[in-house]
Amino acid sequence: MTKPIKEVVSADDLAGEDFVFGLSSYSKLTVMSDCFRLVLSYGDIDMVDETVRGVVSRCADRAADIVETTPTDSFAWLVRAAASVRLAANEDFNIALQNSQLTGPNEQWIARFRVNLAENYFSALNPRSLKSEEADLRLLVSSEKGIKLIAKRYISNPDFRARITAVVETMPPRRQAVFLKVVKQAMNKG
C-alpha cells in the first residue's frame, strides 16, 4: 500500500490498491481491519461511484480469499458481510454474517461489530441472520462491556428495544436484573 489507510483522503487514493496480505494471521487481520474501516466509512451516496465500488469489491474479494483458505476466520467473514451489504449483495451479506457468527460465536469483539452491522442493515437480514444476531445479543448481554453497549443502543434506538427485551427475557432473572440496572445507569448518565 502506498499510503497508510489513515492518510487516505479519497477512494482515488486506493484505486490501484489490491489489499495484498501475507501468510501470517497478523497480515490477514491487518488487511481485514483496514478493509472493514474503509468499507463502512463510505456513505451510501459514495457507493454510486465506480472507484468506491471497486475498493469495496476488492475488500470483498480479499475476504473471500481468506475464508476460502481459512473458513474459520470469523473476522474475514464479517468483512465479507460488510462489503456485500454495501454492494447490495444481500444474499451474500446474510451468508457471510451467519458464517461469522458460526465460526466466532464467543468472540465478543467481533460480535459487537456484527450486531452493529446487523442493526444498521436490519432490513436486509433474513430469518437465519436474525437468529444469529439473537445469539450475539445474548453473548453481549452476558458480559460487562457488552451489556453497556447494548444498554446504550436500547436507549438510543426505540426499534431495538423490543428485540433486546425478547432476548433478555429468556435469560436468568439475575442477568435480567443486571440488564435493567445498567439501562437505568445509562439513562441517568445521558
mmCIF file of all heavy atoms in Angstrom, residues 137-180:
data_model
loop_
_atom_site.group_PDB
_atom_site.id
_atom_site.type_symbol
_atom_site.label_atom_id
_atom_site.label_comp_id
_atom_site.label_asym_id
_atom_site.label_seq_id
_atom_site.Cartn_x
_atom_site.Cartn_y
_atom_site.Cartn_z
ATOM 1 N N LEU A 137 -26.508 -11.043 20.613
ATOM 2 C CA LEU A 137 -27.082 -10.183 21.658
ATOM 3 C C LEU A 137 -27.008 -10.875 23.013
ATOM 4 O O LEU A 137 -26.644 -10.255 24.015
ATOM 5 C CB LEU A 137 -28.528 -9.818 21.319
ATOM 6 C CG LEU A 137 -28.721 -8.889 20.124
ATOM 7 C CD1 LEU A 137 -30.192 -8.782 19.752
ATOM 8 C CD2 LEU A 137 -28.115 -7.525 20.381
ATOM 9 N N ARG A 138 -27.310 -12.152 23.037
ATOM 10 C CA ARG A 138 -27.250 -12.925 24.284
ATOM 11 C C ARG A 138 -25.812 -12.933 24.825
ATOM 12 O O ARG A 138 -25.587 -12.751 26.012
ATOM 13 C CB ARG A 138 -27.741 -14.358 24.031
ATOM 14 C CG ARG A 138 -27.947 -15.169 25.278
ATOM 15 C CD ARG A 138 -28.661 -16.488 25.003
ATOM 16 N NE ARG A 138 -30.076 -16.257 24.692
ATOM 17 C CZ ARG A 138 -30.624 -16.311 23.476
ATOM 18 N NH1 ARG A 138 -29.905 -16.629 22.440
ATOM 19 N NH2 ARG A 138 -31.899 -16.075 23.303
ATOM 20 N N LEU A 139 -24.850 -13.108 23.928
ATOM 21 C CA LEU A 139 -23.441 -13.086 24.323
ATOM 22 C C LEU A 139 -23.068 -11.727 24.914
ATOM 23 O O LEU A 139 -22.445 -11.639 25.978
ATOM 24 C CB LEU A 139 -22.538 -13.398 23.121
ATOM 25 C CG LEU A 139 -21.033 -13.276 23.353
ATOM 26 C CD1 LEU A 139 -20.548 -14.361 24.302
ATOM 27 C CD2 LEU A 139 -20.295 -13.340 22.022
ATOM 28 N N LEU A 140 -23.457 -10.664 24.250
ATOM 29 C CA LEU A 140 -23.087 -9.328 24.711
ATOM 30 C C LEU A 140 -23.768 -8.969 26.032
ATOM 31 O O LEU A 140 -23.152 -8.351 26.900
ATOM 32 C CB LEU A 140 -23.400 -8.286 23.638
ATOM 33 C CG LEU A 140 -22.547 -8.400 22.366
ATOM 34 C CD1 LEU A 140 -22.995 -7.377 21.330
ATOM 35 C CD2 LEU A 140 -21.071 -8.246 22.666
ATOM 36 N N VAL A 141 -25.016 -9.347 26.189
ATOM 37 C CA VAL A 141 -25.728 -9.054 27.435
ATOM 38 C C VAL A 141 -25.122 -9.837 28.598
ATOM 39 O O VAL A 141 -25.251 -9.439 29.757
ATOM 40 C CB VAL A 141 -27.243 -9.340 27.281
ATOM 41 C CG1 VAL A 141 -27.970 -9.294 28.607
ATOM 42 C CG2 VAL A 141 -27.863 -8.324 26.333
ATOM 43 N N SER A 142 -24.423 -10.908 28.290
ATOM 44 C CA SER A 142 -23.805 -11.735 29.330
ATOM 45 C C SER A 142 -22.459 -11.209 29.816
ATOM 46 O O SER A 142 -21.885 -11.752 30.751
ATOM 47 C CB SER A 142 -23.615 -13.169 28.819
ATOM 48 O OG SER A 142 -24.864 -13.733 28.521
ATOM 49 N N SER A 143 -21.952 -10.156 29.184
ATOM 50 C CA SER A 143 -20.645 -9.623 29.579
ATOM 51 C C SER A 143 -20.772 -8.185 30.074
ATOM 52 O O SER A 143 -21.696 -7.469 29.696
ATOM 53 C CB SER A 143 -19.674 -9.661 28.399
ATOM 54 O OG SER A 143 -19.990 -8.663 27.455
ATOM 55 N N GLU A 144 -19.834 -7.783 30.891
ATOM 56 C CA GLU A 144 -19.879 -6.442 31.470
ATOM 57 C C GLU A 144 -19.759 -5.348 30.407
ATOM 58 O O GLU A 144 -20.524 -4.387 30.400
ATOM 59 C CB GLU A 144 -18.759 -6.285 32.502
ATOM 60 C CG GLU A 144 -18.837 -4.997 33.273
ATOM 61 C CD GLU A 144 -17.780 -4.903 34.358
ATOM 62 O OE1 GLU A 144 -17.401 -5.936 34.910
ATOM 63 O OE2 GLU A 144 -17.344 -3.778 34.627
ATOM 64 N N LYS A 145 -18.811 -5.492 29.514
ATOM 65 C CA LYS A 145 -18.611 -4.482 28.472
ATOM 66 C C LYS A 145 -19.752 -4.513 27.448
ATOM 67 O O LYS A 145 -20.263 -3.479 27.033
ATOM 68 C CB LYS A 145 -17.273 -4.719 27.776
ATOM 69 C CG LYS A 145 -16.849 -3.618 26.866
ATOM 70 C CD LYS A 145 -15.428 -3.858 26.374
ATOM 71 C CE LYS A 145 -14.905 -2.673 25.613
ATOM 72 N NZ LYS A 145 -13.520 -2.863 25.179
ATOM 73 N N GLY A 146 -20.151 -5.726 27.082
ATOM 74 C CA GLY A 146 -21.208 -5.872 26.087
ATOM 75 C C GLY A 146 -22.542 -5.327 26.546
ATOM 76 O O GLY A 146 -23.265 -4.692 25.782
ATOM 77 N N ILE A 147 -22.863 -5.551 27.795
ATOM 78 C CA ILE A 147 -24.158 -5.103 28.309
ATOM 79 C C ILE A 147 -24.251 -3.570 28.302
ATOM 80 O O ILE A 147 -25.315 -3.006 28.054
ATOM 81 C CB ILE A 147 -24.439 -5.686 29.717
ATOM 82 C CG1 ILE A 147 -25.936 -5.660 30.021
ATOM 83 C CG2 ILE A 147 -23.655 -4.984 30.798
ATOM 84 C CD1 ILE A 147 -26.328 -6.478 31.231
ATOM 85 N N LYS A 148 -23.134 -2.903 28.500
ATOM 86 C CA LYS A 148 -23.126 -1.434 28.450
ATOM 87 C C LYS A 148 -23.405 -0.939 27.032
ATOM 88 O O LYS A 148 -24.139 0.030 26.842
ATOM 89 C CB LYS A 148 -21.795 -0.894 28.963
ATOM 90 C CG LYS A 148 -21.617 -1.083 30.455
ATOM 91 C CD LYS A 148 -20.273 -0.592 30.930
ATOM 92 C CE LYS A 148 -20.121 -0.856 32.421
ATOM 93 N NZ LYS A 148 -18.793 -0.506 32.916
ATOM 94 N N LEU A 149 -22.826 -1.607 26.055
ATOM 95 C CA LEU A 149 -23.080 -1.232 24.659
ATOM 96 C C LEU A 149 -24.534 -1.472 24.281
ATOM 97 O O LEU A 149 -25.164 -0.647 23.615
ATOM 98 C CB LEU A 149 -22.156 -2.023 23.730
ATOM 99 C CG LEU A 149 -20.670 -1.723 23.853
ATOM 100 C CD1 LEU A 149 -19.851 -2.742 23.077
ATOM 101 C CD2 LEU A 149 -20.368 -0.316 23.373
ATOM 102 N N ILE A 150 -25.064 -2.601 24.728
ATOM 103 C CA ILE A 150 -26.458 -2.930 24.420
ATOM 104 C C ILE A 150 -27.399 -1.941 25.123
ATOM 105 O O ILE A 150 -28.398 -1.513 24.546
ATOM 106 C CB ILE A 150 -26.770 -4.388 24.834
ATOM 107 C CG1 ILE A 150 -25.931 -5.364 24.002
ATOM 108 C CG2 ILE A 150 -28.253 -4.689 24.706
ATOM 109 C CD1 ILE A 150 -26.159 -5.304 22.513
ATOM 110 N N ALA A 151 -27.070 -1.553 26.345
ATOM 111 C CA ALA A 151 -27.899 -0.584 27.069
ATOM 112 C C ALA A 151 -27.927 0.762 26.336
ATOM 113 O O ALA A 151 -28.989 1.395 26.234
ATOM 114 C CB ALA A 151 -27.374 -0.406 28.495
ATOM 115 N N LYS A 152 -26.779 1.188 25.810
ATOM 116 C CA LYS A 152 -26.748 2.448 25.048
ATOM 117 C C LYS A 152 -27.633 2.370 23.812
ATOM 118 O O LYS A 152 -28.347 3.304 23.483
ATOM 119 C CB LYS A 152 -25.308 2.781 24.646
ATOM 120 C CG LYS A 152 -24.460 3.276 25.778
ATOM 121 C CD LYS A 152 -23.054 3.590 25.310
ATOM 122 C CE LYS A 152 -22.171 3.973 26.471
ATOM 123 N NZ LYS A 152 -20.778 4.187 26.060
ATOM 124 N N ARG A 153 -27.560 1.238 23.117
ATOM 125 C CA ARG A 153 -28.403 1.071 21.924
ATOM 126 C C ARG A 153 -29.878 1.017 22.321
ATOM 127 O O ARG A 153 -30.739 1.549 21.636
ATOM 128 C CB ARG A 153 -28.011 -0.178 21.145
ATOM 129 C CG ARG A 153 -28.787 -0.317 19.839
ATOM 130 C CD ARG A 153 -28.316 -1.463 18.987
ATOM 131 N NE ARG A 153 -27.008 -1.287 18.441
ATOM 132 C CZ ARG A 153 -26.728 -0.623 17.318
ATOM 133 N NH1 ARG A 153 -27.698 -0.052 16.639
ATOM 134 N NH2 ARG A 153 -25.498 -0.529 16.882
ATOM 135 N N TYR A 154 -30.172 0.388 23.440
ATOM 136 C CA TYR A 154 -31.548 0.308 23.949
ATOM 137 C C TYR A 154 -32.108 1.716 24.145
ATOM 138 O O TYR A 154 -33.249 1.996 23.772
ATOM 139 C CB TYR A 154 -31.564 -0.468 25.267
ATOM 140 C CG TYR A 154 -32.930 -0.590 25.894
ATOM 141 C CD1 TYR A 154 -33.742 -1.680 25.621
ATOM 142 C CD2 TYR A 154 -33.419 0.395 26.770
ATOM 143 C CE1 TYR A 154 -35.003 -1.798 26.201
ATOM 144 C CE2 TYR A 154 -34.672 0.284 27.340
ATOM 145 C CZ TYR A 154 -35.453 -0.810 27.049
ATOM 146 O OH TYR A 154 -36.696 -0.917 27.616
ATOM 147 N N ILE A 155 -31.313 2.584 24.716
ATOM 148 C CA ILE A 155 -31.756 3.955 24.988
ATOM 149 C C ILE A 155 -31.890 4.757 23.699
ATOM 150 O O ILE A 155 -32.859 5.497 23.517
ATOM 151 C CB ILE A 155 -30.777 4.656 25.958
ATOM 152 C CG1 ILE A 155 -30.850 3.978 27.323
ATOM 153 C CG2 ILE A 155 -31.062 6.145 26.063
ATOM 154 C CD1 ILE A 155 -29.713 4.350 28.250
ATOM 155 N N SER A 156 -30.939 4.618 22.791
ATOM 156 C CA SER A 156 -30.909 5.466 21.599
ATOM 157 C C SER A 156 -31.772 4.978 20.441
ATOM 158 O O SER A 156 -32.069 5.744 19.533
ATOM 159 C CB SER A 156 -29.469 5.632 21.111
ATOM 160 O OG SER A 156 -28.963 4.392 20.653
ATOM 161 N N ASN A 157 -32.184 3.713 20.468
ATOM 162 C CA ASN A 157 -32.906 3.166 19.326
ATOM 163 C C ASN A 157 -34.192 2.465 19.772
ATOM 164 O O ASN A 157 -34.174 1.296 20.141
ATOM 165 C CB ASN A 157 -32.000 2.179 18.573
ATOM 166 C CG ASN A 157 -32.631 1.640 17.314
ATOM 167 O OD1 ASN A 157 -33.813 1.807 17.060
ATOM 168 N ND2 ASN A 157 -31.820 0.968 16.513
ATOM 169 N N PRO A 158 -35.308 3.162 19.703
ATOM 170 C CA PRO A 158 -36.575 2.571 20.141
ATOM 171 C C PRO A 158 -36.950 1.282 19.398
ATOM 172 O O PRO A 158 -37.562 0.393 19.980
ATOM 173 C CB PRO A 158 -37.607 3.673 19.867
ATOM 174 C CG PRO A 158 -36.822 4.935 19.838
ATOM 175 C CD PRO A 158 -35.456 4.567 19.314
ATOM 176 N N ASP A 159 -36.571 1.165 18.125
ATOM 177 C CA ASP A 159 -36.888 -0.040 17.360
ATOM 178 C C ASP A 159 -36.135 -1.268 17.877
ATOM 179 O O ASP A 159 -36.560 -2.401 17.664
ATOM 180 C CB ASP A 159 -36.555 0.151 15.876
ATOM 181 C CG ASP A 159 -37.427 1.205 15.218
ATOM 182 O OD1 ASP A 159 -38.561 1.432 15.702
ATOM 183 O OD2 ASP A 159 -36.978 1.816 14.226
ATOM 184 N N PHE A 160 -35.043 -1.046 18.536
ATOM 185 C CA PHE A 160 -34.201 -2.122 19.062
ATOM 186 C C PHE A 160 -34.755 -2.686 20.374
ATOM 187 O O PHE A 160 -34.504 -3.840 20.711
ATOM 188 C CB PHE A 160 -32.783 -1.571 19.273
ATOM 189 C CG PHE A 160 -31.802 -2.538 19.861
ATOM 190 C CD1 PHE A 160 -31.333 -3.614 19.129
ATOM 191 C CD2 PHE A 160 -31.338 -2.359 21.150
ATOM 192 C CE1 PHE A 160 -30.410 -4.495 19.664
ATOM 193 C CE2 PHE A 160 -30.412 -3.229 21.702
ATOM 194 C CZ PHE A 160 -29.950 -4.305 20.953
ATOM 195 N N ARG A 161 -35.510 -1.893 21.083
ATOM 196 C CA ARG A 161 -35.939 -2.253 22.448
ATOM 197 C C ARG A 161 -36.716 -3.567 22.513
ATOM 198 O O ARG A 161 -36.443 -4.399 23.374
ATOM 199 C CB ARG A 161 -36.765 -1.115 23.054
ATOM 200 C CG ARG A 161 -35.919 0.097 23.324
ATOM 201 C CD ARG A 161 -36.709 1.251 23.863
ATOM 202 N NE ARG A 161 -35.841 2.419 23.883
ATOM 203 C CZ ARG A 161 -36.269 3.649 23.880
ATOM 204 N NH1 ARG A 161 -37.573 3.909 23.909
ATOM 205 N NH2 ARG A 161 -35.415 4.654 23.883
ATOM 206 N N ALA A 162 -37.662 -3.756 21.632
ATOM 207 C CA ALA A 162 -38.467 -4.988 21.681
ATOM 208 C C ALA A 162 -37.605 -6.211 21.392
ATOM 209 O O ALA A 162 -37.766 -7.259 22.037
ATOM 210 C CB ALA A 162 -39.618 -4.904 20.689
ATOM 211 N N ARG A 163 -36.671 -6.082 20.462
ATOM 212 C CA ARG A 163 -35.813 -7.228 20.119
ATOM 213 C C ARG A 163 -34.913 -7.616 21.279
ATOM 214 O O ARG A 163 -34.789 -8.795 21.614
ATOM 215 C CB ARG A 163 -34.975 -6.911 18.878
ATOM 216 C CG ARG A 163 -35.789 -6.834 17.617
ATOM 217 C CD ARG A 163 -34.925 -6.823 16.373
ATOM 218 N NE ARG A 163 -33.956 -5.749 16.291
ATOM 219 C CZ ARG A 163 -34.218 -4.513 15.884
ATOM 220 N NH1 ARG A 163 -35.442 -4.183 15.544
ATOM 221 N NH2 ARG A 163 -33.262 -3.611 15.810
ATOM 222 N N ILE A 164 -34.279 -6.641 21.907
ATOM 223 C CA ILE A 164 -33.359 -6.974 23.000
ATOM 224 C C ILE A 164 -34.143 -7.418 24.232
ATOM 225 O O ILE A 164 -33.712 -8.308 24.966
ATOM 226 C CB ILE A 164 -32.373 -5.829 23.330
ATOM 227 C CG1 ILE A 164 -31.274 -6.325 24.286
ATOM 228 C CG2 ILE A 164 -33.063 -4.621 23.896
ATOM 229 C CD1 ILE A 164 -30.454 -7.476 23.795
ATOM 230 N N THR A 165 -35.306 -6.837 24.454
ATOM 231 C CA THR A 165 -36.132 -7.249 25.585
ATOM 232 C C THR A 165 -36.528 -8.718 25.443
ATOM 233 O O THR A 165 -36.485 -9.476 26.410
ATOM 234 C CB THR A 165 -37.386 -6.360 25.700
ATOM 235 O OG1 THR A 165 -36.958 -5.002 25.909
ATOM 236 C CG2 THR A 165 -38.272 -6.784 26.844
ATOM 237 N N ALA A 166 -36.882 -9.134 24.231
ATOM 238 C CA ALA A 166 -37.237 -10.539 23.990
ATOM 239 C C ALA A 166 -36.070 -11.470 24.299
ATOM 240 O O ALA A 166 -36.259 -12.558 24.836
ATOM 241 C CB ALA A 166 -37.701 -10.720 22.545
ATOM 242 N N VAL A 167 -34.861 -11.034 23.993
ATOM 243 C CA VAL A 167 -33.666 -11.844 24.282
ATOM 244 C C VAL A 167 -33.412 -11.881 25.789
ATOM 245 O O VAL A 167 -33.200 -12.950 26.370
ATOM 246 C CB VAL A 167 -32.430 -11.294 23.540
ATOM 247 C CG1 VAL A 167 -31.149 -11.965 24.023
ATOM 248 C CG2 VAL A 167 -32.582 -11.470 22.030
ATOM 249 N N VAL A 168 -33.445 -10.731 26.437
ATOM 250 C CA VAL A 168 -33.156 -10.649 27.865
ATOM 251 C C VAL A 168 -34.175 -11.437 28.677
ATOM 252 O O VAL A 168 -33.822 -12.074 29.678
ATOM 253 C CB VAL A 168 -33.077 -9.173 28.329
ATOM 254 C CG1 VAL A 168 -32.973 -9.064 29.832
ATOM 255 C CG2 VAL A 168 -31.885 -8.474 27.666
ATOM 256 N N GLU A 169 -35.427 -11.444 28.256
ATOM 257 C CA GLU A 169 -36.471 -12.169 28.988
ATOM 258 C C GLU A 169 -36.238 -13.677 29.023
ATOM 259 O O GLU A 169 -36.781 -14.363 29.872
ATOM 260 C CB GLU A 169 -37.849 -11.862 28.399
ATOM 261 C CG GLU A 169 -38.340 -10.481 28.746
ATOM 262 C CD GLU A 169 -39.661 -10.129 28.092
ATOM 263 O OE1 GLU A 169 -40.088 -10.826 27.122
ATOM 264 O OE2 GLU A 169 -40.280 -9.146 28.534
ATOM 265 N N THR A 170 -35.422 -14.201 28.125
ATOM 266 C CA THR A 170 -35.121 -15.640 28.118
ATOM 267 C C THR A 170 -33.926 -15.974 29.010
ATOM 268 O O THR A 170 -33.594 -17.148 29.169
ATOM 269 C CB THR A 170 -34.808 -16.137 26.689
ATOM 270 O OG1 THR A 170 -33.588 -15.545 26.233
ATOM 271 C CG2 THR A 170 -35.950 -15.828 25.734
ATOM 272 N N MET A 171 -33.305 -14.959 29.578
ATOM 273 C CA MET A 171 -32.116 -15.167 30.391
ATOM 274 C C MET A 171 -32.494 -15.328 31.863
ATOM 275 O O MET A 171 -33.610 -14.994 32.256
ATOM 276 C CB MET A 171 -31.155 -13.997 30.171
ATOM 277 C CG MET A 171 -30.730 -13.869 28.699
ATOM 278 S SD MET A 171 -29.571 -12.557 28.404
ATOM 279 C CE MET A 171 -28.061 -13.448 28.696
ATOM 280 N N PRO A 172 -31.574 -15.824 32.667
ATOM 281 C CA PRO A 172 -31.865 -15.989 34.100
ATOM 282 C C PRO A 172 -32.259 -14.651 34.749
ATOM 283 O O PRO A 172 -31.800 -13.582 34.321
ATOM 284 C CB PRO A 172 -30.538 -16.493 34.675
ATOM 285 C CG PRO A 172 -29.812 -17.082 33.521
ATOM 286 C CD PRO A 172 -30.237 -16.288 32.312
ATOM 287 N N PRO A 173 -33.100 -14.704 35.779
ATOM 288 C CA PRO A 173 -33.577 -13.479 36.437
ATOM 289 C C PRO A 173 -32.445 -12.554 36.884
ATOM 290 O O PRO A 173 -32.581 -11.329 36.799
ATOM 291 C CB PRO A 173 -34.376 -13.993 37.633
ATOM 292 C CG PRO A 173 -34.826 -15.352 37.222
ATOM 293 C CD PRO A 173 -33.735 -15.900 36.347
ATOM 294 N N ARG A 174 -31.366 -13.113 37.348
ATOM 295 C CA ARG A 174 -30.241 -12.276 37.812
ATOM 296 C C ARG A 174 -29.657 -11.453 36.665
ATOM 297 O O ARG A 174 -29.357 -10.272 36.840
ATOM 298 C CB ARG A 174 -29.174 -13.161 38.441
ATOM 299 C CG ARG A 174 -28.052 -12.376 39.040
ATOM 300 C CD ARG A 174 -27.120 -13.259 39.831
ATOM 301 N NE ARG A 174 -26.050 -12.431 40.373
ATOM 302 C CZ ARG A 174 -24.905 -12.887 40.758
ATOM 303 N NH1 ARG A 174 -24.657 -14.183 40.714
ATOM 304 N NH2 ARG A 174 -23.977 -12.083 41.220
ATOM 305 N N ARG A 175 -29.530 -12.054 35.484
ATOM 306 C CA ARG A 175 -28.992 -11.339 34.317
ATOM 307 C C ARG A 175 -29.990 -10.279 33.873
ATOM 308 O O ARG A 175 -29.601 -9.191 33.471
ATOM 309 C CB ARG A 175 -28.697 -12.342 33.204
ATOM 310 C CG ARG A 175 -28.099 -11.784 31.973
ATOM 311 C CD ARG A 175 -26.738 -11.155 31.930
ATOM 312 N NE ARG A 175 -25.868 -11.114 33.046
ATOM 313 C CZ ARG A 175 -24.835 -10.277 33.189
ATOM 314 N NH1 ARG A 175 -24.528 -9.417 32.262
ATOM 315 N NH2 ARG A 175 -24.089 -10.290 34.249
ATOM 316 N N GLN A 176 -31.287 -10.578 33.966
ATOM 317 C CA GLN A 176 -32.313 -9.599 33.624
ATOM 318 C C GLN A 176 -32.219 -8.379 34.544
ATOM 319 O O GLN A 176 -32.300 -7.234 34.085
ATOM 320 C CB GLN A 176 -33.708 -10.222 33.740
ATOM 321 C CG GLN A 176 -33.988 -11.285 32.712
ATOM 322 C CD GLN A 176 -35.360 -11.886 32.877
ATOM 323 O OE1 GLN A 176 -36.310 -11.207 33.264
ATOM 324 N NE2 GLN A 176 -35.485 -13.184 32.583
ATOM 325 N N ALA A 177 -32.008 -8.632 35.828
ATOM 326 C CA ALA A 177 -31.884 -7.536 36.801
ATOM 327 C C ALA A 177 -30.654 -6.695 36.509
ATOM 328 O O ALA A 177 -30.701 -5.460 36.602
ATOM 329 C CB ALA A 177 -31.839 -8.097 38.223
ATOM 330 N N VAL A 178 -29.561 -7.345 36.151
ATOM 331 C CA VAL A 178 -28.332 -6.613 35.810
ATOM 332 C C VAL A 178 -28.578 -5.736 34.588
ATOM 333 O O VAL A 178 -28.171 -4.573 34.552
ATOM 334 C CB VAL A 178 -27.148 -7.580 35.574
ATOM 335 C CG1 VAL A 178 -25.947 -6.849 34.985
ATOM 336 C CG2 VAL A 178 -26.760 -8.277 36.875
ATOM 337 N N PHE A 179 -29.257 -6.276 33.586
ATOM 338 C CA PHE A 179 -29.554 -5.504 32.390
ATOM 339 C C PHE A 179 -30.372 -4.256 32.734
ATOM 340 O O PHE A 179 -30.046 -3.150 32.294
ATOM 341 C CB PHE A 179 -30.296 -6.359 31.358
ATOM 342 C CG PHE A 179 -30.659 -5.602 30.115
ATOM 343 C CD1 PHE A 179 -29.689 -5.250 29.192
ATOM 344 C CD2 PHE A 179 -31.970 -5.219 29.872
ATOM 345 C CE1 PHE A 179 -30.016 -4.536 28.045
ATOM 346 C CE2 PHE A 179 -32.313 -4.515 28.735
ATOM 347 C CZ PHE A 179 -31.327 -4.173 27.816
ATOM 348 N N LEU A 180 -31.417 -4.418 33.523
ATOM 349 C CA LEU A 180 -32.240 -3.264 33.922
ATOM 350 C C LEU A 180 -31.422 -2.225 34.681
ATOM 351 O O LEU A 180 -31.567 -1.020 34.461
ATOM 352 C CB LEU A 180 -33.429 -3.722 34.762
ATOM 353 C CG LEU A 180 -34.510 -4.485 34.019
ATOM 354 C CD1 LEU A 180 -35.549 -5.024 34.998
ATOM 355 C CD2 LEU A 180 -35.163 -3.599 32.970
#
